[in-house]
Amino acid sequence: MSTGPAPAGAGRASADFEVVVGLEVHCELSTATKLFCGCPNRFGSEPNTQVCPVCLGLPGALPVLNRRAVELAVRVGRALHCEIRPSTFHRKNYFYPDMPKDFQISQYDEPIDVDGYLELPSGRRIGIERAHIEEDTGKTTHLGGGGRIHGADRSLVDYNRAGVPLVEIVSRPDMRSADEARAYVAELRAILVASGASDGRMEEGSLRVDANVSVRRTGSDAFGTRCEVKNLNSLRSLGRAIEHEQARQVALLEAGERVVQETRHWNEDEGRTSSMRSKEEANDYRYFPEPDLVPLAPDGAFVAAATAGLGLMPAERRARLATTVHGPDAAVAASTLDQITTVVDLGLDDLVVEVVERGADARLALARAANEAAQSPEDARRLDPGAFCRLLELEAGGSLSSTQAKSVLAEMLAAGGEPDAIARRLGYEALGSEALESAIDAVVAAHPDAWARYAAGEDKVAQLLTGQVMKATKGRANGKAVAAALAARRG
Amino acid sequence: MSWSGGPHGAPEPGAVGLAARVRAGEVRAADVAEETLERVGRRDGELHCFNVVTADAMRSAAAAVDRLVASGADPGPLAGVPVAVKDNLCTRGVPTTCSSKMLEHWVPPYDATVVTRLVAAGALVVGKTNLDEFAMGSSTENSAFGPTRNPWDTSRVPGGSSGGSAAAVAADLAPLALGSDTGGSIRQPAALCGVVGIKPTYGLVSRYGLVAFASSLDQVGPFAATVADAALVLEVIAGHDEMDSTSLDRPVEGLLDATGSGAGGLRVGVVADFLADASADCASAVRAAAEVLAGAGAAVEEVALPELLHGLSAYYLIAPAEASSNLARYDGVRYGLRVDGDDVEQMNARTRAAGFGPEVRRRIMLGTYVLSAGYYDAYYAQAQRVRTLVARTFARAYERFDVLLAPTTPSVAFPLGAKTADPLEMYLADLFTIPSNLAGHPAMSVPFALDPQGLPVGVQVLAPALGEVAMLRAAGVLEAGAAPGARGPVASRSEAGR
């Protein structure tokens, strides 16, 4: 198997081929305690301080399932439109030093969540095959030998993470580009956070992604041979690795070779994947039912209690916001879609919906939220809806220019307060019509040529005149009001 | 003084009587401890019931009981009663070896739930008893630390895997002991040592702190010289434990009372198929036991349950499968033996090769094989179907019967070394005990007869899940009708002959 430099054209796919991607996402559940014992589920403690006989797999210790982890798995299932099913636990047997029992308790052929979907901002639905509960392993640090277990001089194991509850969410092979895969993970992350299941911190390993990548001739229904790519620690790695794999596999096929089914390791620094183990070398996990746990059969009451208070998911929020801005069933322009996605991602959609309900201009509300408020989303989420609504009124009604409104909003975000008061303090009181007329008199007198051209019908000169009026009034005049006064004076 | 009746003619014999005398202040727990330790010191060099004797801890526990008695507080239903604990039950601060080199120096940081409950009931832990390595065996010859000898005849095995516990009770080194029973590891040595041994309903007694062999089959249970004593221990250790997900959440009541309430009206089925596979002495003991029960007012008839005999082959697929997974953790990384290697795989392999004895290795390989891709359906899945068949066969029988009566073992205690060369021959020792483990049902062995050589013969009472009360009623009647001298404690022949 080639592990050489990326083939020519890496990152650019041949038009004759399309890439097919399915993702397996491991998500740490944000429970207070581990999956099978009472140890704290906490990141960043001193090594081997969050452990007990159960999560260390000491002889005689037995697992007891964490009810909260099951509740969160049910919430994830519901948020992903899955069927919540009776499920069982199995043992996945393989030797690895960071696994205290040398088997992992996981769900195998009877997972808790099956057959759902996730809707991307683009509107594309990505199928969810299943989501199941399992325990995390410890963390091994290999000293020497390039940080891999083979060739290491010594290995240190921290079992604090051993037994932390995970859900593994397995998508169907429905993604067709690296961008789509990134969008899927971003969307899934938002759903996991919204459902309360996870803090979504990829950098702390709360969310870990493996990608199954294959390519096929455009138009073909059959899947190509896939490779599983591991060690994807960010959305950027995910996208780069998929593009690299796509190019590598296409190059193989175009050269008349074939893709070998295997697990490949993404090297972020080198920007390429290399073979970890082939299908033949894969572990035989010898799954069998975990005899220390009883089958899990969440009844209707349990599911109802677990999913109580489950709010709107991002896709539902985007749909609601689109309806708020455009009315039902209207087509949404791409630029507006970006704004809607941004506003929902930043958790500002409730604010926008509320001010629109109070009568604010919907497009203006969306724009100010997606552009200005989005600059400091934490502050924006604390904005008083009444004050924001009043600001939008002042701008829409012409009392504040858009430049002024943005300045007032910046002040509101930084320190709070009422927009009228802030506008006064900044000297943004609209000019009285007398003051405006005298300012225009002065500008007309100072620029007779420009006025003559404007009066003769040369409309574009209005800009110059308006700018002079704004300058004369030190920005206190409202641009629209100036334009109207100029037009009236021309007659 | 003796806890098994004895020269002073105590009103009630055994542990029940001893606890009553300690609670009444008639006997000091400290004296019980000293006498026990003296007896262990005198006898255990020959018998090797114990891997470790916890003399200091026993003395402190006894002193604590005596203080409670003196202060007028209740020290518990097992006050001052010595108990021997199988060395696969975790004891905080005391090595728990499973009679394996792998765990020779491993000291658990926690107590098994059953140990906690015994201690809370005032019992005095004497020490940890020998077993077949990781409870795999039927003779205690698979111990890495040497075999235990049968007190009735020290040239013979005590049975296994809980041979140390059974022999300790039989030799009067402790009136009570705990064992574990995965395929007969309490009942078979109880029968071979002439003591009472109970395998409770799966889930009745917590497995937390029992070093796992085959998790779906393992169950902790008591050994005692009398049925009442065994029932008393079971009352103490049974009951829900939130640390064990398979623990049943049911009240456990009336076990001790049941042992004296007779067998009137009990419907008893005698498992005919087992009689055919048992030695003449074992079979005739069952027939005599049936007559005793009938004489006590039970309705007794023979029943054909040939499917139960398939249990053995299913067991020897399921138990090794689970064991191969349960024993994977002994890899040299975290605790127990480590033999270094050039890399982690070599360290794992060397550690396991050095740490496990031949029988344990055999079962790990067997279990790994039956779970492997391509073989799972033919072996493990098929064995589970046989397990279901066994459970259904029992269910049909229990529509007609309250309990079943059967031999515990195919034969009496056999000489050391007689079966070590042939594992299959050894496996057959569990033929009659395995079905109850597969079904999760309770069963017990009651000493009932002596064979012509003077070796004890046990009979087995089987009951459906949570049928302990009916089982103990029958056992109480059988005990009363047993042949004189059929039960321990016994002075070993070699000692008696000196």
Side-chain angles (χ1 to χ4, degrees):
Chain A
M1 179 44 45
S2 157
T3 55
R12 281 181 289 116
S14 161
D16 294 341
F17 289 88
E18 72 172 353
V19 67
V20 174
V21 180
L23 297 178
E24 296 170 13
V25 175
H26 288 83
C27 163
E28 287 184 356
L29 294 173
S30 41
T31 52
T33 55
K34 292 186 181 182
L35 185 54
F36 297 120
C37 65
C39 288
N41 172 12
R42 187 188 299 150
F43 178 82
S45 304
E46 281 293 299
N48 297 313
T49 56
Q50 316 293 313
V51 292
C52 75
V54 175
C55 59
L56 280 179
L58 293 191
L62 296 172
V64 177
L65 183 60
N66 181 334
R67 182 189 181 90
R68 184 61 188 155
V70 178
E71 290 172 355
L72 292 178
V74 166
R75 287 171 79 86
V76 169
R78 178 55 56 82
L80 293 172
H81 311 279
C82 289
E83 185 188 340
I84 315 293
R85 287 235 190 118
S87 58
T88 55
F89 288 91
H90 274 63
R91 289 185 184 178
K92 180 179 183 180
N93 294 286
Y94 63 102
F95 284 90
Y96 205 81
D98 65 14
M99 210 162 47
K101 302 181 293 295
D102 286 297
F103 61 79
Q104 180 191 31
I105 302 177
S106 179
Q107 296 193 308
Y108 179 52
D109 53 356
E110 296 172 302
I112 186 164
D113 303 324
V114 296
D115 208 13
Y117 65 86
L118 171 156
E119 190 176 302
L120 298 178
S122 67
R124 278 256 295 152
R125 278 187 181 182
I126 306 300
I128 303 292
E129 186 183 312
R130 57 185 283 163
H132 67 256
I133 305 170
E134 63 184 27
E135 58 178 338
D136 210 342
T137 62
K139 229 173 199 169
T140 313
T141 307
H142 303 295
L143 305 178
R148 307 274 289 269
I149 189 166
H150 292 284
D153 300 323
R154 293 189 79 78
S155 297
L156 303 174
V157 197
D158 174 9
Y159 293 103
N160 285 351
R161 202 181 67 181
V164 162
L166 301 174
V167 284
E168 181 180 344
I169 299 146
V170 182
S171 84
R172 296 197 185 280
D174 287 352
M175 287 155 273
R176 295 292 176 267
S177 69
D179 283 346
E180 202 160 69
R182 277 200 302 261
Y184 168 88
V185 173
E187 184 70 15
L188 181 58
R189 184 188 165 283
I191 289 171
L192 292 167
V193 172
S195 62
S198 167
D199 59 22
R201 291 185 191 131
M202 245 178 136
E203 67 281 7
E204 288 182 5
S206 296
L207 218 61
R208 304 194 289 272
V209 184
D210 298 332
N212 284 300
V213 183
S214 62
V215 296
R216 64 180 174 192
R217 297 258 170 209
T218 307
S220 165
D221 285 339
F223 290 120
T225 304
R226 70 174 188 273
C227 291
E228 182 176 6
V229 184
K230 290 185 176 289
N231 196 40
L232 306 173
N233 298 320
S234 64
L235 288 183
R236 179 180 140 83
S237 298
L238 172 68
R240 290 180 70 206
I242 290 171
E243 281 167 4
H244 168 85
E245 260 306 294
Q246 178 178 2
R248 187 186 70 85
Q249 293 182 16
V250 166
L252 280 174
L253 296 180
E254 286 183 333
E257 295 177 44
R258 53 191 195 89
V259 175
V260 177
Q261 185 175 337
E262 61 183 352
T263 303
R264 297 182 68 84
H265 180 90
W266 170 249
N267 187 315
E268 178 70 29
D269 295 335
E270 296 173 22
R272 64 192 179 92
T273 62
S274 57
S275 181
M276 278 172 80
R277 56 176 178 265
S278 71
K279 190 185 176 189
E280 288 71 28
E281 295 167 312
N283 276 308
D284 177 358
Y285 291 122
R286 291 171 285 122
Y287 280 100
F288 74 102
E290 165 58 276
D292 289 328
L293 292 170
V294 293
L296 190 57
D299 59 16
F302 182 91
V303 172
T307 54
L310 194 60
L312 295 176
M313 289 301 119
E316 294 164 324
R317 289 182 175 277
R318 289 192 299 268
R320 181 183 64 152
L321 193 52
T323 304
T324 300
V325 175
H326 292 278
D329 305 323
V332 179
S335 60
T336 312
L337 187 61
D338 284 348
Q339 290 184 330
I340 286 174
T341 305
T342 301
V343 165
V344 168
D345 282 351
L346 297 177
L348 299 177
D349 54 312
D350 282 342
L351 177 70
V352 173
V353 169
E354 178 163 355
V355 297
V356 172
E357 277 169 7
R358 289 179 185 218
D361 180 274
R363 283 171 184 275
L364 186 60
L366 180 66
R368 288 293 161 265
N371 300 325
E372 285 72 33
Q375 301 305 312
S376 39
E378 299 231 342
D379 298 328
R381 285 191 287 270
R382 284 196 296 267
L383 263 186
D384 175 46
F388 185 47
C389 190
R390 172 66 184 153
L391 173 75
L392 296 168
E393 256 173 44
L394 291 173
E395 184 180 352
S399 303
L400 290 177
S401 68
S402 63
T403 310
Q404 290 171 334
K406 289 173 189 174
S407 300
V408 173
L409 180 54
E411 185 68 21
M412 288 165 66
L413 288 168
E418 291 302 316
D420 294 281
I422 295 169
R424 265 199 304 280
R425 198 167 65 243
L426 295 176
Y428 292 162
E429 284 155 292
L431 290 179
S433 55
E434 260 177 55
L436 179 60
E437 290 301 332
S438 67
I440 292 175
D441 289 345
V443 167
V444 167
H447 302 279
D449 294 349
W451 171 251
R453 281 161 59 202
Y454 176 69
E458 203 176 326
D459 282 350
K460 64 180 182 186
V461 185
Q463 233 175 340
L464 184 149
L465 292 169
T466 303
Q468 290 302 318
V469 174
M470 299 301 283
K471 194 175 165 188
T473 59
K474 300 193 173 76
R476 287 165 64 209
N478 181 311
K480 284 181 193 158
V482 175
L486 287 171
R489 183 172 294 217
R490 181 167 66 174
Chain B
M1 179 198 65
S2 169
W3 39 74
S4 37
H8 303 302
E12 267 194 283
V16 172
L18 177 60
R21 294 197 294 278
V22 170
R23 292 166 94 174
E26 298 165 21
V27 173
R28 280 174 10 120
D31 294 336
V32 176
E34 291 310 325
E35 188 185 334
T36 300
L37 291 168
E38 187 276 326
R39 207 179 314 207
V40 169
R42 189 152 39 83
R43 296 292 311 282
D44 202 47
E46 178 191 24
L47 297 175
H48 187 208
C49 299
F50 289 94
N51 286 338
V52 62
V53 176
T54 50
D56 292 345
M58 189 184 188
R59 289 188 176 105
S60 337
V65 167
D66 288 333
R67 277 197 301 276
L68 282 176
V69 173
S71 72
D74 183 2
L78 292 175
V81 182
V83 57
V85 175
K86 189 177 183 180
D87 203 14
N88 62 348
L89 288 162
C90 286
T91 42
R92 186 187 178 113
V94 176
T96 297
T97 70
C98 296
S99 288
S100 176
K101 283 186 208 158
M102 188 63 86
L103 291 178
E104 188 170 0
H105 304 293
W106 183 63
V107 179
Y110 72 107
D111 275 329
T113 299
V114 287
V115 172
T116 304
R117 289 185 180 182
L118 280 179
V119 170
L124 314 177
V125 174
V126 185
K128 306 296 291 292
T129 59
N130 198 15
L131 63 150
D132 286 301
E133 185 178 7
F134 284 101
M136 298 179 191
S138 306
S139 70
T140 317
E141 291 168 291
N142 294 335
S143 168
F145 311 131
T148 298
R149 291 172 182 272
N150 192 320
W152 293 75
D153 177 349
T154 53
S155 72
R156 292 175 186 267
V157 301
S161 66
S162 313
S165 286
V169 173
D172 213 7
L173 304 188
L176 303 175
L178 289 185
S180 65
D181 189 317
T182 306
S185 279
I186 291 174
R187 290 160 289 160
Q188 186 256 10
L192 268 47
C193 290
V195 299
V196 176
I198 300 178
K199 198 290 278 187
T201 300
Y202 185 79
L204 190 68
V205 178
S206 169
R207 291 184 294 117
Y208 190 75
L210 167 67
V211 180
F213 159 19
S215 312
S216 75
L217 301 158
D218 295 341
Q219 189 65 189
V220 179
F223 288 94
T226 69
V227 173
D229 283 0
L232 175 62
V233 177
L234 186 53
E235 280 194 352
V236 167
I237 62 174
H240 183 61
D241 178 11
E242 61 178 21
M243 299 297 281
D244 176 357
S245 308
T246 62
S247 162
L248 299 171
D249 198 358
R250 300 278 191 96
V252 182
E253 292 166 343
L255 302 184
L256 185 53
D257 292 345
T259 62
S261 57
L266 269 189
R267 300 170 300 163
V268 179
V270 179
V271 185
D273 315 86
F274 288 3
L275 296 180
D277 278 328
S279 72
D281 295 319
C282 292
S284 67
V286 173
R287 293 200 178 89
E291 282 174 28
V292 166
L293 288 171
V300 182
E301 62 177 285
E302 283 205 3
V303 55
L305 302 169
E307 297 91 340
L308 296 185
L309 292 170
H310 296 307
L312 183 85
S313 35
Y315 173 88
Y316 276 100
L317 297 172
I318 294 168
E322 294 184 15
S324 71
S325 174
N326 281 329
L327 272 65
R329 70 191 67 191
Y330 308 111
D331 57 9
V333 174
R334 288 160 299 275
Y335 48 78
L337 184 71
R338 174 188 292 178
V339 180
D340 280 328
D342 294 338
D343 57 27
V344 70
E345 284 90 353
Q346 196 179 62
M347 185 275 283
N348 288 160
R350 285 181 176 175
T351 298
R352 290 166 68 78
F356 292 139
E359 182 61 27
V360 172
R361 289 208 298 273
R362 180 179 297 119
R363 296 202 197 187
I364 289 172
M365 286 188 278
L366 186 61
T368 303
Y369 181 78
V370 305
L371 290 174
S372 297
Y375 299 99
Y376 182 92
D377 286 334
Y379 294 113
Y380 183 80
Q382 180 68 7
Q384 291 293 4
R385 284 189 282 274
V386 173
R387 186 175 191 171
T388 303
L389 174 72
V390 166
R392 283 197 191 131
T393 302
F394 271 129
R396 267 204 319 279
Y398 288 125
E399 287 170 8
R400 293 169 54 204
F401 301 107
D402 300 308
V403 296
L404 297 173
L405 185 67
T408 308
T409 56
S411 70
V412 295
F414 43 90
L416 283 152
K419 299 187 179 184
T420 44
D422 184 354
L424 289 181
E425 182 70 16
M426 189 73 88
Y427 295 171
L428 285 170
D430 297 329
L431 183 61
F432 307 144
T433 47
I434 278 170
S436 298
N437 297 87
L438 289 174
H441 292 171
M444 66 187 290
S445 183
V446 183
F448 189 76
L450 293 174
D451 82 343
Q453 307 168 84
L455 293 170
V457 179
V459 296
Q460 190 182 191
V461 183
L462 300 79
L466 297 168
E468 271 84 359
V469 166
M471 179 180 81
L472 287 164
R473 285 176 60 199
V477 169
L478 291 173
E479 179 176 56
R487 67 175 159 100
V490 65
S492 75
R493 280 183 189 173
S494 57
E495 186 186 57
R498 272 198 284 274

